[in-house]
Amino acid sequence: MTSTSVIKFSLVFFLSLLSYSALCQTEVIAETSKTSRESMADNGVKGSFGVAYNIINPSGDKYVGLAYKGKGGYNLKFKLFVYNGFFIGGSVGSSYFENTNISITGNYDKTRVGSHYLFLGYEYRPIEKLAFGINASVLGEARYKNEYRGGNEAYQVDRAKLRAFEASVDYFIAKNFSINISYTYRNDKTKIRTSSNLQSRFDRAQFSIIGLGFNFQFGKDAIISNSKELKTVITNYL
């Protein structure tokens, strides 16, 4: 199974967990009138969905750091809590660059980097309104679309194995809604092949990302703490 297939399978798994969460909510609401007055977002498996605008900063002595200028980007992230503060998640997004030195890279003037990856992480919440998180990618791919001066119809594609490490802070302005600030370091291992004397310059793409966005929080308990309820729901459903 390729890493792309694994990522797609994992996204389907996440959606299945969301379906389970919704089913749990239905069961709980049917049990008591008190629960029926509570918000739907306060029941089921705990997780979040977020969107962010990204400020891109090329770095290092590889071709991206030497020739690229960041032009912004965005990403969407989804995560589910497995046990206490530990979570799994997925991210999709795009980053945009301007090529400022064609003598290093070749005759193209801009690059769009599409990415998707899975990650594992941990969140610490010292007070109700504040949460600190860290995560690292476990499977991920990036697609570098280099557009030549002839326009969008003339382009060349490079691919890479994505490596990402992130630290983030959430400030909750409401019970289920937070403003998010994050820092992500990317060190992608590219599949670019060139002459032996230049290969070391093109074997990796390095840049950092400052993300500004918001997260919508949902659910109440981690997946493992819901294991008994999951068994009951499945038994009743079958």
Side-chain angles (χ1 to χ4, degrees), residues 33-106:
S33 59
K34 179 180 178 181
T35 305
S36 67
R37 294 193 296 268
E38 295 177 355
S39 168
M40 291 288 285
D42 294 333
N43 297 288
V45 176
K46 181 181 177 182
S48 69
F49 176 80
V51 59
Y53 171 76
N54 293 327
I55 301 169
I56 312 298
N57 299 291
S59 61
D61 58 357
K62 305 297 183 178
Y63 76 102
V64 170
L66 296 173
Y68 281 18
K69 179 181 179 180
K71 302 296 288 185
Y74 70 91
N75 70 275
L76 304 174
K77 288 182 181 177
F78 172 76
K79 66 183 181 183
L80 291 174
F81 285 84
V82 179
Y83 177 72
N84 288 340
F86 294 95
F87 58 80
I88 57 176
S91 174
V92 295
S94 291
S95 302
Y96 300 88
F97 298 90
E98 177 186 352
N99 185 359
T100 60
N101 193 338
I102 62 174
S103 64
I104 293 178
T105 63

Side-chain angles (χ1 to χ4, degrees), residues 21-207:
S21 179
L23 187 59
C24 282
Q25 292 169 12
T26 302
E27 291 288 321
V28 172
I29 290 172
E31 286 179 4
T32 68
S33 59
K34 179 180 178 181
T35 305
S36 67
R37 294 193 296 268
E38 295 177 355
S39 168
M40 291 288 285
D42 294 333
N43 297 288
V45 176
K46 181 181 177 182
S48 69
F49 176 80
V51 59
Y53 171 76
N54 293 327
I55 301 169
I56 312 298
N57 299 291
S59 61
D61 58 357
K62 305 297 183 178
Y63 76 102
V64 170
L66 296 173
Y68 281 18
K69 179 181 179 180
K71 302 296 288 185
Y74 70 91
N75 70 275
L76 304 174
K77 288 182 181 177
F78 172 76
K79 66 183 181 183
L80 291 174
F81 285 84
V82 179
Y83 177 72
N84 288 340
F86 294 95
F87 58 80
I88 57 176
S91 174
V92 295
S94 291
S95 302
Y96 300 88
F97 298 90
E98 177 186 352
N99 185 359
T100 60
N101 193 338
I102 62 174
S103 64
I104 293 178
T105 63
N107 191 31
Y108 60 87
D109 58 356
K110 55 184 178 180
T111 296
R112 173 187 178 274
V113 182
S115 62
H116 57 273
Y117 64 96
L118 303 177
F119 55 80
L120 298 175
Y122 179 78
E123 180 180 285
Y124 172 62
R125 197 162 174 175
I127 58 176
E128 184 178 354
K129 287 187 172 293
L130 198 63
F132 299 94
I134 56 172
N135 71 71
S137 63
V138 289
L139 283 174
E141 293 182 341
R143 181 179 183 268
Y144 289 68
K145 182 180 179 181
N146 307 312
E147 297 181 4
Y148 290 85
R149 297 186 183 278
N152 291 336
E153 295 181 358
Y155 65 88
Q156 173 259 334
V157 173
D158 295 316
R159 299 185 183 277
K161 290 185 178 180
L162 185 152
R163 309 284 176 84
F165 306 90
E166 180 183 294
S168 65
V169 178
D170 279 274
Y171 178 76
F172 288 81
I173 58 177
K175 183 177 181 181
N176 299 107
F177 188 80
S178 64
I179 297 172
N180 176 268
I181 300 175
S182 64
Y183 171 79
T184 303
Y185 176 68
R186 287 271 297 272
N187 185 12
D188 297 354
K189 184 177 181 181
T190 69
K191 298 180 181 179
I192 299 173
R193 294 292 177 265
T194 184
S195 58
S196 57
N197 60 318
L198 294 175
Q199 186 63 49
S200 62
R201 178 177 291 178
F202 291 89
D203 61 352
R204 294 188 181 275
Q206 299 166 327
F207 53 95

